[in-house]
Amino acid sequence: MAERRFCIGYALAPKKQQSFIQDSLVSLAASRGIDLVRIDTDRPLLDQGPFDCILHKYYGEDWRKQLIEFRVKNPNALILDSPDSIERLHNRISMLQVVSELKIDNANESFGIPKQIVIYDKETLFDRQACEGLKFPVIAKPLVADGSAKSHKMALVFNHDCLNKLKPPIVLQEFVNHGGIIFKVYVVGQYVKCVKRKSLPDEPEAKLGNVEGLLSFSQVSNLTPREKINDKFYKMMQLDDTEMPPLSFVTDIARGLRRSLNLNLFNFDVIRDSKIGTRYLIIDINYFPGYAKMPGYEKVLTDFFCDLAQNKDSMKKSPDAKEGEDKIGSDRQLPVKTADQETRKTAIDEDDGGQSVNREMKEETPVRD
């Protein structure tokens, strides 16, 4: 009898496909019974397959309708992830609201988000009262975070007078001194990996809010020499000397976000407040990030795909499986791992400091975005 294989159809934009669908991933997955098959987005989804799972980072109303139709015709198929869940991350206000709702017991560390406001029009932008309580400098970001080049255009604004150079709708987020280091936490199902990258340098307290001007950027971790506002700082900074956040703390946040967002594939950016060394701030959440930059991503993703296949088979065999269950996204939660399995599934990278590879600008979350 032929081996039962698990077929995953993927729909990705060309750049995403080029970076993520590497031969090394396809070969490893195939060796473990997982077939990765490209979906032709120029053809109806229902005319292709059969697929056990749809893996996608592709947008548009037509695509959303095709996913709904596919789910109706294939009630046992998985869709990663739910378009509605992904949509929440396209707004920089709604994406971080979930952080405030998380309840995590930790006696040593705390977390939250920086103070921020949203500006919808020019009139409000010029109104100083609207920014009352917000300390400069601030990071100005487009409200929409849809992965487009425009959504990555940000600016470090040093005083209120410089706001007139910006175009609403935007989010103004207080800049917090964080030692020039950002922690990027990748989540793949239950797997969690934290790496460190260079970020914007700290601003001395005496200068905060008093510097004239505005610095535009897209990715702080890949600033060009012309864009760097303190090149001496970058040369002196040693990523190896930076202590990583506690693994259990990061993992608890990751799992809480996964449950609340109903997503399996995402990353989030964290900074550590220089004033309060145990205070961490989440500044961005990004769907289906550039996993290929993560060392050993092929095994991580293949393990995840195998878990999906195993979980789907167990759901089929279970007499308690609910009829009409929504198969889109991470509502199909994977079973809890044993202690040994969980150790294998969770890792923290102490050696990957500052290796920011700009293979795919859209997929690498900007450091203060």
Side-chain angles (χ1 to χ4, degrees), residues 46-77:
L46 288 177
D47 291 347
Q48 304 177 64
F51 300 120
D52 297 294
C53 176
I54 300 293
L55 179 69
H56 72 109
K57 190 173 184 180
Y58 201 78
Y59 305 119
E61 282 305 311
D62 180 66
W63 175 248
R64 179 187 287 265
K65 290 178 182 178
Q66 290 196 60
L67 287 178
I68 294 173
E69 292 171 354
F70 177 84
R71 180 178 57 173
V72 171
K73 297 288 186 180
N74 302 273
N76 291 319

Side-chain angles (χ1 to χ4, degrees), residues 92 140-142 144-155 217-219 284 286 360-366 369:
R92 285 197 166 95
K141 313 174 182 182
V144 176
D146 59 2
S148 64
K150 182 180 179 181
S151 70
H152 285 311
K153 292 185 180 298
M154 295 171 286
F217 59 89
S218 57
Q219 284 184 279
D284 184 59
N286 183 45
E360 185 176 357
M361 184 172 178
K362 286 173 61 179
E363 304 308 330
E364 173 69 13
T365 307
D369 177 358

Side-chain angles (χ1 to χ4, degrees), residues 126-307:
F126 298 144
D127 184 359
R128 288 183 178 271
Q129 288 187 341
C131 298
E132 192 174 357
L134 204 63
K135 295 181 180 180
F136 284 84
V138 298
I139 301 293
K141 313 174 182 182
L143 177 61
V144 176
D146 59 2
S148 64
K150 182 180 179 181
S151 70
H152 285 311
K153 292 185 180 298
M154 295 171 286
L156 178 61
V157 185
F158 293 99
N159 53 61
H160 191 279
D161 293 336
C162 294
L163 293 178
N164 61 5
K165 300 177 182 179
L166 304 175
K167 185 177 180 180
I170 57 173
V171 173
L172 300 180
Q173 188 179 85
E174 276 191 6
F175 176 82
V176 177
N177 280 339
H178 53 284
I181 301 292
I182 189 169
F183 303 102
K184 303 183 79 67
V185 183
Y186 292 89
V187 180
V188 182
Q190 294 184 64
Y191 179 91
V192 178
K193 188 180 186 69
C194 181
V195 301
K196 49 192 173 184
R197 299 282 189 266
K198 294 181 181 181
S199 177
L200 285 171
D202 286 351
E203 285 293 326
E205 284 294 318
K207 291 175 61 180
L208 287 178
N210 296 321
V211 179
E212 294 184 2
L214 176 152
L215 173 69
S216 298
F217 59 89
S218 57
Q219 284 184 279
V220 180
S221 58
N222 291 306
L223 286 177
T224 65
R226 181 180 178 183
E227 291 176 309
K228 289 182 180 179
I229 57 179
N230 192 340
D231 192 53
K232 183 179 179 181
F233 172 87
Y234 284 99
K235 290 178 180 178
M236 292 176 59
M237 183 174 60
Q238 297 295 323
L239 278 173
D240 293 342
D241 298 335
T242 301
E243 181 181 356
M244 299 293 283
L247 173 58
S248 59
F249 176 63
V250 170
T251 302
D252 285 345
I253 294 176
R255 288 177 179 164
L257 288 175
R258 177 175 175 248
R259 287 191 298 267
S260 298
L261 292 170
N262 196 36
L263 291 173
N264 281 295
L265 304 170
F266 64 95
N267 76 350
F268 57 99
D269 293 346
V270 184
I271 59 174
R272 180 165 49 213
D273 192 334
S274 294
K275 281 187 176 181
I276 308 173
T278 57
R279 174 73 170 169
Y280 293 85
L281 301 171
I282 298 172
I283 59 175
D284 184 59
I285 306 173
N286 183 45
Y287 176 65
F288 205 148
Y291 286 118
K293 301 165 192 168
M294 187 175 70
Y297 93 103
E298 297 94 340
K299 184 178 185 303
V300 173
L301 269 297
T302 299
D303 285 345
F304 173 63
F305 296 152
C306 289
D307 285 342

